[in-house]
Amino acid sequence: MIVYERPVRFEDVDAAGIVFFGRFMNYAHEAMEHFFGGVAGGYVDLITRRKIGFPAVHVTCDFRSPLRYGDVVRIAVSVAKIGNTSSTLRYEFTRADNGASVALMEHVTVASDLVSLQKLALPDDVRAHLELHRH
Amino acid sequence: MIVYERPVRFEDVDAAGIVFFGRFMNYAHEAMEHFFGGVAGGYVDLITRRKIGFPAVHVTCDFRSPLRYGDVVRIAVSVAKIGNTSSTLRYEFTRADNGASVALMEHVTVASDLVSLQKLALPDDVRAHLELHRH
Amino acid sequence: MIVYERPVRFEDVDAAGIVFFGRFMNYAHEAMEHFFGGVAGGYVDLITRRKIGFPAVHVTCDFRSPLRYGDVVRIAVSVAKIGNTSSTLRYEFTRADNGASVALMEHVTVASDLVSLQKLALPDDVRAHLELHRH
Amino acid sequence: MIVYERPVRFEDVDAAGIVFFGRFMNYAHEAMEHFFGGVAGGYVDLITRRKIGFPAVHVTCDFRSPLRYGDVVRIAVSVAKIGNTSSTLRYEFTRADNGASVALMEHVTVASDLVSLQKLALPDDVRAHLELHRH
């Protein structure tokens, strides 16, 4: 499990005054980029030099309590499943101040060649890092 | 079923060159706002005057093929379930040019008082509109 | 002058309840993409096939009155200056319902090769379209 | 001068492969929120409890070199001018790795009551903090 924290930004809320539900995907992706910090070169090197990406094929999210401007969200990232080309990340969103549950998201991605968008076996270093944080 | 179309915007893609997965939530919400055009005053009136919102409590999305800059996405909105306070919208994303399947999303929302964030019975006009487009 | 209209989106407002100032750049870029509809293939073809982009080198914006969720903004695009590689677009933002002035933006871009990011002379068809809409 | 750093996010780039010019406003606003950390309660307290906001009335930005995914941007915030109700923040964007100039932005805001959107004299604590960081 790797933990990532970030404040709710001024422009993350919507006309209902709470964080727009789609932003949770942005928050999760930030947490995933942070998670991949454990692979040499990180997510940036995967994308920009190795040309390996992890497009989403499936996402599920339960929203339990709203976030507002001023809140800080803590996202605990763990790995629920590891396949040959796919992996499932699990994001547990809580409020940093009191630990209250905010959301729970699962995110299945498939390792892909960014030029052809064909799927790839998970690279060894990525697989090893995923194994390390398996739920 | 109500259909909404929009082009992929220049800034909707990510560093992998395809539409960021979180943007599908923005696209779905736009389609939902369009869908609520069938209620007098539309979504804007619900939010700004009636102070009734529809926060997401659950979202599921299958991503089937990527979108790129230049694509136009067609979103067919229908209603999968209607509860007392909740409703489930279903969004079928296809490419406008060839009808290829892009994504399928389900989005459960709960009618809520935007001041207290307490849930509400679905207003009659909203319920009637949902019934009209039940899958 | 070419006119583009779009509603303020649910997630375009910020925690102060008005459209986030940075969104005006997104709105202007949408209007610019619409403006380039007058060049064969449009902005999409320039970017994706011809690999010619128009990165901003200078932006100025006066904000005159706020936009809120539910407003529709009308953007009149015209051309203030045409250089060898650069051009200056002018965007006049008004409210679609009453014509009230919302913002005035100027946006200087430089035609650039998207592979090398080196500047280019304005392509003839782009220059002709700009001349047609010179202020 | 107060310095704020942040990485370019995966979804901050556009179809031309560089950071979308409008995102610089988001980056600047983040830097401004950080800057206001020097006022008791910070920007969050101003917005959510004191109901005082700082809508932009004028923005100017020079873009000098592009940012790409993987870059880290450093933003030095200082105060260029202080009026009765208005203030001008200056943001100098450089690359964190080599100090190369990326952009220079000026941002004039007017202290405003967020309920009425009428302008206000700068609160004393805000003014004192601005004076401290005058250019």
Side-chain angles (χ1 to χ4, degrees), chain A residues 57-59 61-62 68 117, chain B residues 57-59 61-63 68 117:
Chain A
V57 291
H58 187 71
V59 162
C61 190
D62 280 311
R68 295 179 181 279
L117 285 183
Chain B
V57 293
H58 187 71
V59 163
C61 191
D62 280 311
F63 299 88
R68 296 178 181 278
L117 285 183

Side-chain angles (χ1 to χ4, degrees), chain D residues 77-125:
Chain D
V77 186
S78 59
V79 181
K81 265 188 242 171
I82 306 172
N84 181 38
T85 65
S86 73
S87 51
T88 304
L89 292 182
R90 188 183 165 92
Y91 308 86
E92 219 182 317
F93 294 73
T94 51
R95 294 175 59 106
D97 60 353
N98 64 9
S101 182
V102 166
L104 184 65
M105 182 171 152
E106 288 209 347
H107 175 209
V108 186
T109 66
V110 169
S112 302
D113 176 315
L114 285 181
V115 179
S116 67
L117 285 182
Q118 295 304 297
K119 61 188 182 177
L120 292 175
L122 286 164
D124 289 346
D125 56 346

Side-chain angles (χ1 to χ4, degrees), chain B residues 55-117:
Chain B
V57 293
H58 187 71
V59 163
T60 307
C61 191
D62 280 311
F63 299 88
R64 289 164 180 179
S65 63
L67 288 174
R68 296 178 181 278
Y69 180 54
D71 291 339
V72 176
V73 61
R74 175 176 295 153
I75 308 172
V77 186
S78 60
V79 181
K81 265 188 240 169
I82 306 172
N84 180 39
T85 65
S86 73
S87 52
T88 303
L89 292 182
R90 188 182 164 91
Y91 308 86
E92 221 182 314
F93 294 73
T94 51
R95 294 175 58 106
D97 58 354
N98 63 10
S101 181
V102 167
L104 184 64
M105 182 170 152
E106 289 209 347
H107 175 210
V108 187
T109 65
V110 169
S112 303
D113 176 315
L114 285 180
V115 179
S116 67
L117 285 183

Side-chain angles (χ1 to χ4, degrees), chain A residues 36-69:
Chain A
F36 273 105
V39 173
Y43 202 71
V44 167
D45 191 59
L46 280 160
I47 295 292
T48 59
R49 195 184 57 80
R50 298 168 69 179
K51 308 288 180 201
I52 300 173
F54 299 87
V57 291
H58 187 71
V59 162
T60 306
C61 190
D62 280 311
F63 299 89
R64 289 164 179 177
S65 63
L67 289 174
R68 295 179 181 279
Y69 181 53

Side-chain angles (χ1 to χ4, degrees), chain A residues 10-87:
Chain A
F10 188 65
E11 68 270 34
D12 289 345
V13 302
D14 58 29
I18 58 178
V19 171
F20 184 66
F21 77 112
R23 298 269 180 204
F24 283 78
M25 313 291 138
N26 297 261
Y27 291 3
H29 200 277
E30 282 185 21
M32 183 176 86
E33 293 180 62
H34 179 71
F35 174 84
F36 273 105
V39 173
Y43 202 71
V44 167
D45 191 59
L46 280 160
I47 295 292
T48 59
R49 195 184 57 80
R50 298 168 69 179
K51 308 288 180 201
I52 300 173
F54 299 87
V57 291
H58 187 71
V59 162
T60 306
C61 190
D62 280 311
F63 299 89
R64 289 164 179 177
S65 63
L67 289 174
R68 295 179 181 279
Y69 181 53
D71 291 339
V72 175
V73 62
R74 175 177 295 155
I75 308 171
V77 186
S78 59
V79 181
K81 267 189 240 168
I82 306 172
N84 180 39
T85 64
S86 73
S87 51

Side-chain angles (χ1 to χ4, degrees), chain C residues 65-82:
Chain C
S65 63
L67 288 173
R68 295 178 183 278
Y69 181 54
D71 291 339
V72 175
V73 61
R74 175 176 294 154
I75 308 172
V77 186
S78 60
V79 181
K81 266 189 239 168
I82 306 173

Side-chain angles (χ1 to χ4, degrees), chain A residues 65-123:
Chain A
S65 63
L67 289 174
R68 295 179 181 279
Y69 181 53
D71 291 339
V72 175
V73 62
R74 175 177 295 155
I75 308 171
V77 186
S78 59
V79 181
K81 267 189 240 168
I82 306 172
N84 180 39
T85 64
S86 73
S87 51
T88 303
L89 292 182
R90 190 183 163 90
Y91 307 86
E92 220 181 318
F93 294 74
T94 52
R95 294 175 58 107
D97 59 354
N98 64 8
S101 182
V102 167
L104 183 64
M105 181 170 154
E106 288 209 347
H107 175 210
V108 187
T109 65
V110 169
S112 303
D113 176 315
L114 284 180
V115 179
S116 66
L117 285 183
Q118 295 304 298
K119 61 188 181 177
L120 292 175
L122 285 164

